[in-house]
Amino acid sequence: MVDSQSQTSLFAPEKQVLGLPDADIEYQPGYLVDDQAWALYDTLLAETDWQQERITLYGKTHDVPRLSCWMGDAGLDYGYSNMRMQVVPWNQELRALQQQLRCDTGHPFNSVLVNLYRDGQDSNGWHSDDEPELGTNPVIASVSLGAARDFHLRHKTRKDLRQSISLEHGSLLLMSGTTQHCWQHHVPKRAQAAQRINLTFRYVDNR
């Protein structure tokens, strides 16, 4: 369960620390104020060059069950799940949010995966963000906009360890340390869910 005991933090007093073994996960509802969050949501929904990616699993190719856009610094193409995404330049709004996150967390994010969940049928399967270009202990900052969606976690080797949290509009989920090595996460389908945009900021090193 979420451990909301008082702890020293950049996000105090609202930050919640998930007391999970082999993980460093912090959740802050209301990281973006409501007006800022809805303005960003509306801009991204209308102006993002949404792409329908295709994924090949077990020899079969399928549409990814969401729309996406990979944005970041020049030259930072990114691959995961047998896909290769071409980077597009930052827009003004996400560049500003990148700088805000860098300042608040101390992590040098240089890219963001923007996902549009069009309804409750769009989802994200079990996975870890552990691609080699993300480094030894990847730090992922996930900002949610629009409809709240469930976010499930499961330990890779201890089947008894699971966690679920609702990612609310304007919230920030920060995953660091050994989280990506030891845990998987996913966003399951949810009947009658409205549209949601998720922003996962990360640092990519393609050298």
Side-chain angles (χ1 to χ4, degrees), residues 24-196:
D24 292 291
I25 305 176
E26 304 169 359
Y27 178 66
Q28 186 186 6
Y31 174 73
L32 300 180
V33 297
D34 200 56
D35 289 348
Q36 179 189 11
W38 281 118
L40 180 58
Y41 173 86
D42 290 339
T43 298
L44 293 176
L45 189 63
E47 299 181 7
T48 301
D49 182 18
W50 300 109
Q51 300 294 315
Q52 176 67 75
E53 301 291 342
R54 302 273 289 170
I55 187 171
T56 300
L57 295 172
Y58 308 111
K60 296 184 178 180
T61 301
H62 311 273
D63 286 342
V64 172
R66 58 195 176 277
L67 303 182
S68 59
C69 178
W70 175 246
M71 194 175 297
D73 295 350
L76 293 182
D77 294 346
Y78 182 58
Y80 71 98
S81 298
N82 300 315
M83 295 188 301
R84 196 73 190 171
M85 304 185 73
Q86 304 298 311
V87 71
V88 300
W90 293 98
N91 63 25
Q92 179 179 350
E93 292 78 11
L94 290 186
R95 173 66 85 179
L97 182 54
Q98 175 212 25
Q99 296 302 316
Q100 180 179 336
L101 285 165
R102 280 182 163 190
C103 180
D104 290 342
T105 69
H107 295 291
F109 303 113
N110 61 7
S111 51
V112 60
L113 179 60
V114 187
N115 280 319
L116 172 61
Y117 295 79
R118 294 160 292 186
D119 54 34
Q121 293 303 302
D122 278 358
S123 61
N124 200 332
W126 286 109
H127 70 285
S128 299
D129 296 317
D130 56 0
E131 290 74 29
E133 57 262 51
L134 297 182
T136 303
N137 287 315
V139 179
I140 307 295
S142 174
V143 176
S144 294
L145 305 168
R149 290 290 293 268
D150 295 329
F151 183 80
H152 294 178
L153 294 140
R154 68 181 183 188
H155 197 278
K156 291 182 179 180
T157 59
R158 293 183 55 182
K159 303 305 180 184
D160 60 311
L161 292 178
R162 288 177 174 261
Q163 177 76 42
S164 180
I165 188 170
S166 178
L167 300 182
E168 302 171 358
H169 175 64
S171 66
L172 169 65
L173 183 78
L174 187 69
M175 298 182 286
S176 58
T178 61
T179 303
Q180 304 303 323
H181 297 292
C182 299
W183 290 79
Q184 292 181 318
H185 53 272
H186 88 131
V187 177
K189 294 181 180 180
R190 182 178 178 183
Q192 299 180 339
Q195 285 190 136
R196 169 188 186 246

